[in-house]
């Protein structure tokens, strides 16, 4: 592996929270670090020749690239021939990873020059194996791709004229946009016993529209190998029952009022649950809510053997027009997850609220 340890640690801290990353490393190297920088220095001081720590960092790298924030589609494959094709494809697939990617895997490519040599929009399979998630075994394929995204940042002082520098010193902020090459990691999970296919796209730096484009790339990849997934599960009708269910916390809601106006309400300040928001409560009880078209909901869990908690959040981001048309909502987000069992929990929660006879992923 050609990546430096500072790069690996930075990747883990970006994908996981500091406390979670520290708790995972503590399993092989007890640390008392109270900040990210001290944590990083403590690991760098201990990692040379420490094989258990090196192995743990690599395990966390593979975990991290599957988690954080994902955009997901779920398919139930009814056709027996397609089921057999999927199983055969994912269990006999011969990885031909691009050397630039494979040398750094399971971490992103560190050298931006090397990253720039990869073809945008091309899918590079890098790992094919089996993985157990909450005692259920899935066939898994991990693939990487690169995309360009636009970021906005302050203009460096050396880019400004003397007049610009004077204005900058007088509290003027100049912003610029630039395009950066970004590496993404997508995952295909196939569970033959329940006929469940999950496409999971790395959404961490993408808009919803861009992540939907990446889902199309995954579906196209399977099509080129003779596998037609059919239509993804429509999750739009899970919005209302997800909102109404007594568990978890509502963090965002989109609804249409009785006079036809769409309203989007986010969680504010230190609110524990959107249902306690006075404005929203007045609208709901006053009869001004016609129907809901989007919802975000969060659940909290204790980490085994720890006082800390992890959050699991899903977002079903429908549009008002879906209330009046047959347009399905085929994708949803799973936000900031840190464990594969939480990722599957979020998917199962959504599927359990679909008011049809869809089988669940568990």
């Amino acid at each position: 592996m050609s990546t430096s340890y500072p790069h690996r640690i930075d990747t883990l801290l970006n994908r996981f929270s500091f406390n979670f990353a520290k708790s995972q490393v503590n399993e092989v190297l007890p640390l008392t670090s109270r900040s990210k920088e001290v944590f990083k220095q403590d690991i760098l001081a201990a990692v040379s020749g420490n094989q258990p720590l090196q192995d743990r960092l690599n395990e966390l790298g593979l975990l991290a690239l599957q988690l954080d924030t994902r955009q997901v589609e779920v398919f139930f494959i009814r056709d027996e021939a397609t089921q057999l094709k999927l199983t055969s494809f994912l269990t006999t697939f011969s990885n031909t990873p691009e050397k630039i990617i494979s040398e750094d895997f399971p971490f992103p490519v560190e050298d931006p020059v090397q990253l720039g040599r990869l073809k945008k929009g091309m899918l590079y399979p890098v790992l094919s194996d089996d993985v157990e998630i909450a005692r259920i075994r899935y066939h898994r394929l991990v693939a990487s791709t690169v995309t360009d995204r636009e970021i906005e940042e302050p203009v460096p002082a050396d880019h400004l004229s003397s007049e610009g520098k004077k204005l900058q010193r007088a509290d003027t902020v100049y912003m610029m946009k630039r395009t950066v090459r970004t590496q993404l990691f997508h995952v295909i999970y196939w569970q033959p016993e329940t006929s469940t296919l999950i496409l999971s796209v790395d959404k961490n730096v993408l808009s919803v529209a861009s992540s939907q484009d990446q889902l199309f790339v995954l579906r196209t990849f399977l099509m080129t190998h003779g596998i037609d997934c059919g239509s993804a599960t429509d999750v739009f009708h899970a919005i209302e029952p997800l909102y109404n269910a007594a568990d978890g916390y509502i963090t965002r809601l989109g609804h249409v009022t009785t006079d036809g106006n769409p309203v989007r309400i986010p969680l504010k300040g230190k609110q524990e649950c959107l249902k306690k928001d006075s404005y929203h409560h007045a609208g709901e009880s006053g009869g001004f809510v016609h129907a809901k078209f989007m919802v975000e909901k969060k659940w909290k869990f204790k980490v085994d053997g720890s006082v800390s908690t992890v959050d699991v959040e899903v977002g079903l981001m429908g549009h008002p027009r879906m209330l009046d048309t047959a347009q399905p909502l085929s994708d949803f987000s799973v936000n900031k997850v840190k464990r594969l069992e939480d990722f599957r929990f979020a998917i199962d929660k959504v599927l359990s609220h679909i008011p049809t006879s869809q089988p669940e992923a568990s």
Side-chain angles (χ1 to χ4, degrees), residues 24-41:
Q24 296 299 299
V25 171
N26 275 348
E27 293 179 3
V28 296
L29 179 69
L31 296 173
T32 58
S33 322
R34 294 184 177 275
S35 70
K36 289 183 178 181
E37 192 54 41
V38 174
F39 173 74
K40 183 176 177 179
Q41 294 307 317

Side-chain angles (χ1 to χ4, degrees), residues 165-229:
K165 291 176 182 177
K166 289 179 184 178
L167 291 171
Q168 191 178 54
R169 286 193 291 270
D171 297 329
T172 298
V173 178
Y174 293 97
M175 303 298 292
M176 68 178 185
K177 290 183 178 181
R178 65 186 180 92
T179 300
V180 296
R181 178 63 54 92
T182 302
Q183 186 176 8
L184 306 170
F185 291 94
H186 305 330
V187 191
I188 298 170
Y189 303 96
W190 166 238
Q191 216 294 310
E193 285 71 27
T194 57
S195 305
T196 306
L197 175 68
I198 301 171
L199 304 186
S200 173
V201 158
D202 190 349
K203 191 195 171 202
N204 297 290
V205 295
L206 300 182
S207 65
V208 172
S210 295
S211 65
Q212 290 168 340
D213 290 341
Q214 292 299 316
L215 282 167
F216 176 76
V217 170
L218 269 185
R219 293 194 301 270
T220 302
F221 170 77
L222 289 173
M223 285 288 288
T224 59
H225 288 86
I227 298 168
D228 184 353
C229 303

Side-chain angles (χ1 to χ4, degrees), residues 121-139:
M122 183 172 179
L123 207 63
Y124 298 96
V126 67
L127 174 68
S128 178
D129 66 357
D130 284 358
V131 61
E132 189 172 289
I133 308 175
R135 298 185 297 278
I136 301 293
R137 183 159 292 276
Y138 291 80
H139 301 311

Side-chain angles (χ1 to χ4, degrees), residues 226-239:
I227 298 168
D228 184 353
C229 303
S231 298
T233 303
D234 182 3
V235 297
F236 183 77
H237 296 291
I239 292 173

Side-chain angles (χ1 to χ4, degrees), residues 329-345:
L329 178 64
S330 64
D331 59 291
F332 58 96
S333 62
V334 180
N335 303 327
K336 300 296 181 183
V337 285
K338 302 174 181 67
R339 305 181 302 178
L340 283 173
E341 55 263 44
D342 297 335
F343 173 73
R344 213 199 77 173
F345 167 87

